[in-house]
Amino acid sequence: MSAPESSRFDVVVIGAGAAGLFCAGVAGQRGLKVLVVDHSEKVGEKIRISGGGRANFTNRDLDVRAPQRHFIGDNPNFCRSALSRYAPQQFIELVQKHGIAFHEKHKGQLFCDGSSQQIVDLLLAECAVGGVERWQPCKAENITLAGSGSYRIESSRGAIETPKIVVATGGLSIPQIGASDFGYRIAEQFGLRLVTPRPALVPLTFGGEAWAPYAELAGLALPVRIETGARKEKTAFLEDLLFTHRGLSGPAVLQISSYWKPGTPLTLDFAPGTNVAEALGEAKLRSKKRIANELATLVPSRLADAWVGQDPALQRPVNEAADKALAALSERIARWQITPSGTEGYKKAEVTAGGVDTRDLSSQTMESKQPGLYFIGEVVDVTGWLGGYNFQWAWASAHACASAL
């Protein structure tokens, strides 16, 4: 028996986040009858809490000729097609059209001057122009192939029939706002491959005695150079680091966490751009201050005290210190190696790396090998750097998909 007219749609978008709402709005404005289904009452929760409540909605430094520089995944080139066809400037123009004031914080990161709710409102307004229908809260419980190449979705509000489903369910990060594995389950149900999901843009933890001297530095922030990986795999960032009670966070660590592999060390330079050995060598010739005081001219004093406090040979005036002791201290400041015990997990991760394998998707349309089934946004194995890149992937993948529907 075919479904009644009221529950037939040209397209059903599952997920009312950044990618889902944007795709629905564009598709609706192209004349399609669109339904958005989401199990949560609220829309765009991740947008609302992002960027400290101001939504870092894109990054104008994204190089559309080589966007894979800012993205990871088993095939970082996959994202190039969508990102080059819907660039940051296009979303910026939409933001301006809606009269939303914004500013650049640094490194191309754009934030609303006001609240992130403005971006949610923009997406809802675009959906309204496209006549998009929304069922919320509504759980999509089961998806099956109906006859004549269409799909039947059993939902908590009744059955829906559609020839096209767009899965925009996001990742597993921040479960407290309703993250779920539904998108991965749909992919597997229809025989698509998955790249094992893992937390990304996530604080790193350090356990045991080795961390004890640094636990009391919680709250200390400073610019560092951080790197991980060997030879060709080596990745480094110049960003701010934050000490926490359980480990390290801040932009530097969130960025490197996407590249860090369990069991491998991080190397940190706490005084990037400074030759610490040279500075301490000069201090030894002219100063009678304690080593900690001299070191505090190069790094924050709390860090200097923690460092010097671990070695009796350093608890003296700099002019009395052995060259060997100063050299070892310089090396530790410039090349501190430490191996994280793990991450703070999905609860604190800003995004999920991994997801639907891009080998099973079209980079042009986001359609999967299963005809009529599309995947966009974070559910796909494309993960951007911190700083608005993941939102731009949401907009670009949604736009590519909506244009193809």
Side-chain angles (χ1 to χ4, degrees), residues 112-271:
C112 300
D113 287 358
S115 152
S116 53
Q117 183 62 39
Q118 293 175 289
I119 300 294
V120 178
D121 293 343
L122 173 158
L123 296 171
L124 291 176
E126 291 292 312
C127 282
V129 172
V132 173
E133 202 170 317
R134 233 174 54 238
W135 291 6
Q136 281 183 272
C138 174
K139 223 174 162 149
E141 282 149 358
N142 191 23
I143 298 176
T144 51
L145 278 168
S148 65
S150 70
Y151 293 90
R152 183 179 173 88
I153 303 170
E154 303 295 341
S155 85
S156 54
R157 293 200 187 183
I160 309 158
E161 265 191 32
T162 180
K164 297 190 169 168
I165 295 176
V166 178
V167 179
T169 50
L172 298 171
S173 38
I174 326 183
Q176 56 273 39
I177 60 167
S180 93
D181 66 349
F182 185 76
Y184 307 137
R185 295 204 310 266
I186 296 302
E188 287 187 307
Q189 180 191 332
F190 288 100
L192 307 181
R193 290 168 285 191
L194 281 186
V195 174
T196 307
R198 59 187 171 85
L201 301 184
V202 64
L204 298 173
T205 55
F206 299 82
E209 290 304 300
W211 188 250
Y214 311 105
E216 57 214 40
L217 292 173
L220 176 69
L222 73 159
V224 299
R225 183 181 186 277
I226 189 167
E227 71 174 49
T228 192
R231 292 189 286 281
K232 267 188 178 170
E233 300 254 295
K234 188 181 284 186
T235 304
F237 291 96
L238 271 168
E239 285 281 5
D240 284 354
L241 175 85
L242 174 69
F243 282 85
T244 71
H245 290 290
R246 289 161 51 86
L248 296 173
S249 188
V253 169
L254 298 186
Q255 291 283 42
I256 210 76
S257 71
S258 298
Y259 295 86
W260 174 72
K261 293 188 170 74
T264 58
L266 302 174
T267 304
L268 289 116
D269 179 352
F270 288 105

Side-chain angles (χ1 to χ4, degrees), residues 302-353:
R302 280 173 70 195
L303 186 65
D305 291 341
W307 231 264
V308 168
Q310 291 176 66
D311 185 353
L314 298 172
Q315 290 157 28
R316 62 188 63 201
V318 67
N319 63 331
E320 293 173 17
D323 289 346
K324 196 174 160 189
L326 289 181
L329 174 63
S330 308
E331 177 66 13
R332 287 191 78 194
I333 293 288
R335 292 194 58 77
W336 187 41
Q337 280 213 335
I338 187 160
T339 302
S341 55
T343 78
E344 289 278 10
Y346 289 118
K347 203 166 88 222
K348 295 280 178 75
E350 297 206 2
V351 293
T352 305

Side-chain angles (χ1 to χ4, degrees), residues 4-21:
E5 204 52 54
S6 60
S7 57
R8 282 179 177 221
F9 293 87
D10 297 328
V11 185
V12 175
V13 178
I14 302 175
L21 289 175

Side-chain angles (χ1 to χ4, degrees), residues 26-44:
V26 175
Q29 288 178 38
R30 287 171 168 250
L32 295 172
K33 186 182 178 192
V34 183
L35 171 68
V36 173
V37 172
D38 196 295
H39 66 102
S40 166
E41 252 174 85
K42 295 178 172 164
V43 300

